[in-house]
Amino acid sequence: MNIANIDSSNSQNLTMQALDTFTFPLTGASLIEASAGTGKTYTIVNLYIRLLLGHNCAPLSVEQILVVTFTNAATGELKERIRQRLRLAYLDFFAKRSSDAFIQQLIEQSENIELDCQRLALASKQMDQAAVFTIHGFCHKALTEQAFESGAMYEQSFILDESEWLKLAAEDYWRKHIVTLPAQTLQLLLTHWKTPEALLKSVGRLLSQQAKPQQHATITDAIDCVDRYVEQVIKIKQWWLSNKVSEQLSKANLNGRAKLAKPATLNAMQGFCSSELLQIDFDKTGWLLFGPEQIAKAAKKGSEDLSHLDFAQFEQLQSMLLNCMQNLILAFSGHAMAVVSANLASHKQMLHLLSPDDLLLGLQNALNQQAQDNSSGNALANIIKQNYPAALIDEFQDTDPIQFEVFRGIYGSDESNPISGEYKSCWIMIGDPKQAIYAFRGADIFTYIKAKDWVARQRQYTLATNWRSAPSLIDSINQFFASSSKGFLFENSIPFYPVKAGREFSGLHIKGEPVKSLR
């Protein structure tokens, strides 16, 4: 996503309301920001229990509460955490008392303890059928269960790793579009990508994220740029040989430590000028090794005057080379992304294969198509919403643009009941936006900001208590970030919210001496 598309002014730098798990609305779309150690998983499970019991909402079964996270390990851990807490909650409800303040409050407000006990016991036994999925697992289930509405093919093989097919697609591109290039263009391009694998490594992640380049260059323009560079290289070669520049430099009494004065450098340049090569690997300075600045640095008292030689043309040559390489990389990166993506899709379609990314794109396309085709409503979205009236998206900071559009396509168009004013479904996004800067698992910080701007301000919450860290460390972190008006780059959309310590302990001591929490 283009940074320019984010209007940080939409998000006001105001203190978010602290989340009260007991009164949190279980209808409509809501956003919860949770820093590390603030009890995010505990909060998710508490909301899950409220949904099961129908606390200020309609009671749901474990198969109706969709919980989405981003790895198989995380889904297994989360499901086990829910199962354990349901068992404990059942025992507390059965005993009609609990040491957990949240459960105790639910017990006190229960209208039918026996019925709630049954619901908790049944949910605990049915956790194997619970709708706790990875994002790809959810998309796969939605596409296969609603194959007719989504337009998905019934018989397709699911592959977790499409690298083999991606490699074949890149090799196809290399054979058809790289090795057939004019020799001079190919020579330069091979200095950047020596193999199909190198090309794929360069554009592979962009392909998986459906990235759109902000700069463009055509292959025709890139080749024209190479031709102009070649003309300049030929002129330099002729000038060097006709003026016997190697000989003049070797006799100029330059500083012996200067690279351009060394016989090996001059011999390499002499050989280059007699070859068909377009580029010589001196060092990071490139052609500027023979530029006026380097010539002046190499000169010493008693050196020959070389002002009659036009070394400034090497500066022009370096500029042309950089421009030429930029155009080549831009042109062939964009072209390769389009063609390799099409090749990959063709291979998989022919063999009826589906990858994890195909699941996301397939569900997004199906939702978009349904929205366009049905003026009366999105049938696919409505069916998914009926199956899963409540959705909790864990680690929401790891969401990319496609994932956000999928869930917004399902739950974002939810309309409230004209009589009660309540929404038909519940969509809760939970995450720590500060973690999105690492782009872990394809996270896109601009998607998070877009989602936050989309959610109503009064439906945005934060977990304000850290239960993991020592109070001294929490106080230090609060003071450190609060001392700056711009703690983060997008401070209007992702401001720093101080948290309080949830428990008292003194922290680390070494030989009886306390260690400072923050250095």
Side-chain angles (χ1 to χ4, degrees), residues 100-313:
D100 184 302
F102 174 78
I103 299 297
Q104 180 61 36
Q105 204 169 0
L106 285 177
I107 292 172
E108 291 171 0
Q109 292 194 10
S110 174
E111 297 178 355
N112 190 329
I113 287 284
E114 289 75 15
L115 179 58
D116 286 341
C117 279
Q118 291 176 13
R119 285 171 174 161
L120 290 169
L122 181 62
S124 178
K125 294 175 182 177
Q126 290 182 329
M127 278 308 294
D128 288 337
Q129 286 78 48
V132 183
F133 303 117
T134 63
I135 177 67
H136 298 107
F138 162 68
C139 291
H140 185 249
K141 190 172 180 65
L143 286 171
T144 52
E145 288 187 347
Q146 281 78 50
F148 180 77
E149 289 81 5
S150 66
M153 288 190 292
Y154 285 92
E155 294 184 4
Q156 288 183 300
S157 300
F158 183 61
I159 53 170
L160 284 172
D161 183 8
E162 63 178 14
S163 58
E164 177 185 351
W165 310 108
L166 194 56
K167 181 182 176 184
L168 286 174
E171 289 172 348
D172 282 349
Y173 178 80
W174 191 269
R175 283 191 296 268
K176 293 177 183 177
H177 300 281
I178 300 297
V179 298
T180 56
L181 287 170
Q184 294 165 330
T185 302
L186 179 61
Q187 186 184 140
L188 280 186
L189 196 59
L190 289 178
T191 63
H192 185 71
W193 295 313
K194 290 185 172 19
T195 62
E197 289 75 20
L199 170 65
L200 186 57
K201 185 177 180 181
S202 177
V203 303
R205 185 172 183 184
L206 298 175
L207 278 172
S208 65
Q209 294 181 344
Q210 303 292 310
K212 298 288 188 289
Q214 293 183 350
Q215 292 179 292
H216 300 272
T218 67
I219 290 178
T220 301
D221 289 342
I223 293 175
D224 289 344
C225 189
V226 171
D227 291 341
R228 292 191 295 271
Y229 170 74
V230 170
E231 290 176 7
Q232 185 65 20
V233 170
I234 292 172
K235 288 179 182 178
I236 289 261
K237 287 180 176 181
Q238 292 172 345
W239 171 83
W240 183 278
L241 294 173
S242 61
N243 287 279
K244 299 182 179 178
V245 179
S246 288
E247 186 177 336
Q248 293 193 57
L249 288 174
S250 64
K251 293 179 179 179
N253 193 28
L254 298 175
N255 189 330
R257 289 178 296 179
K259 187 168 184 177
L260 61 83
K262 295 185 181 297
T265 303
L266 297 176
N267 290 337
M269 184 61 181
Q270 191 73 13
F272 169 79
C273 292
S274 302
S275 73
E276 298 295 325
L277 297 175
L278 301 175
Q279 194 178 354
I280 186 170
D281 184 19
F282 291 119
D283 54 24
K284 292 180 181 179
T285 58
W287 291 120
L288 295 181
L289 177 65
F290 292 103
E293 184 178 348
Q294 294 299 321
I295 296 292
K297 284 182 179 179
K300 62 180 184 178
K301 190 174 181 180
S303 295
E304 294 289 333
D305 180 19
L306 298 171
S307 60
H308 61 287
L309 294 173
D310 181 18
F311 289 103
Q313 58 188 316

Side-chain angles (χ1 to χ4, degrees), residues 67-122:
V67 182
V68 175
T69 188
F70 282 81
T71 66
N72 289 321
T75 58
E77 180 183 351
L78 189 54
K79 187 178 285 190
E80 187 56 33
R81 288 281 295 273
I82 295 172
R83 190 198 308 268
Q84 292 174 1
R85 189 132 165 76
L86 288 177
R87 288 172 179 166
L88 292 175
Y90 163 74
L91 293 174
D92 288 347
F93 266 76
F94 186 80
K96 298 181 182 178
R97 66 177 181 274
S98 175
S99 59
D100 184 302
F102 174 78
I103 299 297
Q104 180 61 36
Q105 204 169 0
L106 285 177
I107 292 172
E108 291 171 0
Q109 292 194 10
S110 174
E111 297 178 355
N112 190 329
I113 287 284
E114 289 75 15
L115 179 58
D116 286 341
C117 279
Q118 291 176 13
R119 285 171 174 161
L120 290 169
L122 181 62

Side-chain angles (χ1 to χ4, degrees), residues 445-466:
I445 195 169
F446 305 114
T447 297
Y448 187 94
I449 294 173
K450 180 180 179 182
K452 186 174 182 178
D453 287 340
W454 179 80
V455 175
R457 180 73 204 179
Q458 66 272 21
R459 304 300 295 266
Q460 298 180 18
Y461 301 84
T462 185
L463 295 176
T465 303
N466 184 301

